[in-house]
Amino acid sequence: MAKSKFTSIFNIKYLPMDYGRAHYFIYRLLKVRTLGLDGKKYRRGFSGGAVIAANHTGFSDAVTLGGSFWYRRVFFLASEEVMAKGFLSFMLKLMGCIKVDRNISDIEAIRSAVSVIKNGHTLAVFPQGRIEKTEEVADIKSGAVLIALQSGAPIIPVYSRPPASKFSRRTVVVGEPICCSDYCKKKFPSVTDINNISSILLEKINECRDAYEKGEKK
Amino acid sequence: MTTYQRLEKVLNSVFEGEIDPGGITLRSNLRDDVGMNSIGMLYMVMGLEEEFGIKFKNTDFPELKTVADVVACIEAKLK
């Protein structure tokens, strides 16, 4: 049976997420401004499945990304420590969080993440792997690239930081999508290929940071 | 091609330039001899899933200590 536009907009399975998206929309209006690299308002630059790779400065990053991309269903990879408690874990799962055990090779989490993207949704990943309050993004892990290569989806680099004042809106800078297939066409990408694409992603996230700094100085 | 030969092909492709192609035997320890860490294990397993059309579970990983263990695991899944 062909998927109708109605079922892609309204799907009872995603009702909790869509309820959350309504709140994200309001949060976005009040507290978030999303810009492109040129400093102008970001126009929806991608369709279909995608991986959003953003820096991680605090727990509010997920809500900020949800606000910036409120028009998409955004799933998140969350560590096992965050999703350990019973009721919180249940709620986070309803809101689209996929549990990842960072201490093992969590192939099942990767598979769930790839499946989400292949269904045309967006997956947000924090490639630093932990909260880092530094301004510059110095190092990232290769999980986001691995997921993007497996799913064939583009990676959207994003940079954001909490504003200096609690009353200011938070700026999110979205970079140009990275198509991994431009950098690796092999059936089995090698470790070297994945590390190369990860370096490019790191560079693009820092490009977004430079655009962010330029915007804040104006 | 035997299971071992196909596994060797995947390992050589995934770890191109990082491991000595002729240096892997059935007895090779994945961590000590092949130099695999948890991310490397993930890369290898994803390549094997693609090559053999099988699915690994998280519970399979603690059993995979040597190349022979990986071959045995693949053959068990193919049955």
Side-chain angles (χ1 to χ4, degrees):
Chain A
M1 190 193 232
K3 216 172 163 182
S4 72
K5 195 162 182 180
F6 178 74
T7 52
S8 64
I9 295 170
F10 177 77
N11 189 326
I12 198 144
K13 187 167 87 167
Y14 299 124
L15 203 54
M17 274 187 84
D18 291 340
Y19 175 73
R21 282 168 69 200
H23 289 77
Y24 284 151
F25 174 67
I26 295 166
Y27 182 74
R28 187 245 187 283
L29 285 178
L30 299 173
K31 293 294 281 176
V32 178
R33 59 177 189 151
T34 310
L35 306 176
L37 286 173
D38 54 5
K40 296 186 181 155
K41 188 175 171 185
Y42 177 71
R43 301 283 166 202
R44 302 174 195 192
F46 61 96
S47 61
V51 176
I52 293 171
N55 65 315
H56 200 11
T57 58
F59 288 107
S60 61
D61 292 341
V63 180
T64 303
L65 286 181
S68 285
F69 298 98
W70 67 270
Y71 48 89
R72 304 292 305 269
R73 287 190 183 112
V74 183
F75 290 73
F76 294 89
L77 287 181
S79 68
E80 203 183 41
E81 292 84 8
V82 168
M83 291 188 71
K85 306 261 169 34
F87 182 70
L88 179 64
S89 172
F90 173 71
M91 290 303 294
L92 288 173
K93 269 188 208 155
L94 280 183
M95 294 302 294
C97 285
I98 299 168
K99 186 168 71 172
V100 177
D101 185 345
R102 293 182 292 188
N103 299 317
I104 61 167
S105 311
D106 198 339
I107 187 83
E108 288 168 17
I110 300 287
R111 205 175 285 132
S112 301
V114 169
S115 161
V116 152
I117 296 166
K118 285 186 170 172
N119 283 335
H121 300 304
T122 312
L123 177 80
V125 178
F126 299 108
Q128 289 167 295
R130 61 190 176 279
I131 291 174
E132 283 188 18
K133 295 192 189 286
T134 54
E135 290 176 5
E136 188 180 347
V137 181
D139 188 31
I140 58 172
K141 299 189 197 309
S142 47
V145 172
L146 193 60
I147 292 168
L149 277 167
Q150 281 288 303
S151 58
I155 307 176
I156 318 292
V158 171
Y159 183 87
S160 178
R161 260 200 333 257
S165 159
K166 277 186 193 166
F167 301 103
S168 306
R169 293 174 91 192
R170 182 163 174 173
T171 302
V172 175
V173 176
V174 184
E176 292 298 317
I178 301 168
C179 291
C180 295
S181 56
D182 292 346
Y183 302 97
C184 177
K185 295 188 195 313
K186 294 182 213 165
K187 187 181 175 187
F188 302 125
S190 69
V191 169
T192 312
D193 294 324
I194 294 170
N195 289 341
N196 286 342
I197 301 173
S198 296
S199 301
I200 291 165
L201 173 60
L202 179 60
E203 206 178 286
K204 297 287 178 196
I205 291 175
N206 280 318
E207 247 177 53
C208 294
R209 189 207 63 160
D210 294 340
Y212 175 96
E213 301 284 353
K214 213 167 150 186
E216 292 291 287
K217 280 177 186 154
K218 279 188 189 163
Chain B
M1 259 179 136
T2 64
T3 304
Y4 173 66
Q5 285 168 332
R6 290 170 75 186
L7 164 62
E8 210 181 16
K9 183 183 94 176
V10 170
L11 281 176
N12 289 331
S13 180
V14 171
F15 296 100
E16 188 185 4
E18 304 221 355
I19 55 171
D20 172 18
I24 302 169
T25 65
L26 280 170
R27 284 185 183 176
S28 298
N29 185 285
L30 292 173
R31 213 166 277 276
D32 301 331
D33 302 326
V34 183
M36 213 174 282
N37 55 17
S38 58
I39 273 275
M41 202 64 131
L42 212 44
Y43 297 160
M44 176 189 75
V45 157
M46 293 179 107
L48 294 175
E49 287 190 342
E50 176 82 27
E51 172 68 16
F52 291 96
I54 54 176
K55 290 235 184 298
F56 283 81
K57 292 182 198 167
N58 286 350
T59 46
D60 292 328
F61 286 90
E63 309 298 320
L64 304 179
K65 292 188 169 41
T66 64
V67 173
D69 294 336
V70 179
V71 170
C73 186
I74 294 167
E75 286 177 346
K77 288 186 185 298
L78 287 171
K79 277 183 190 161

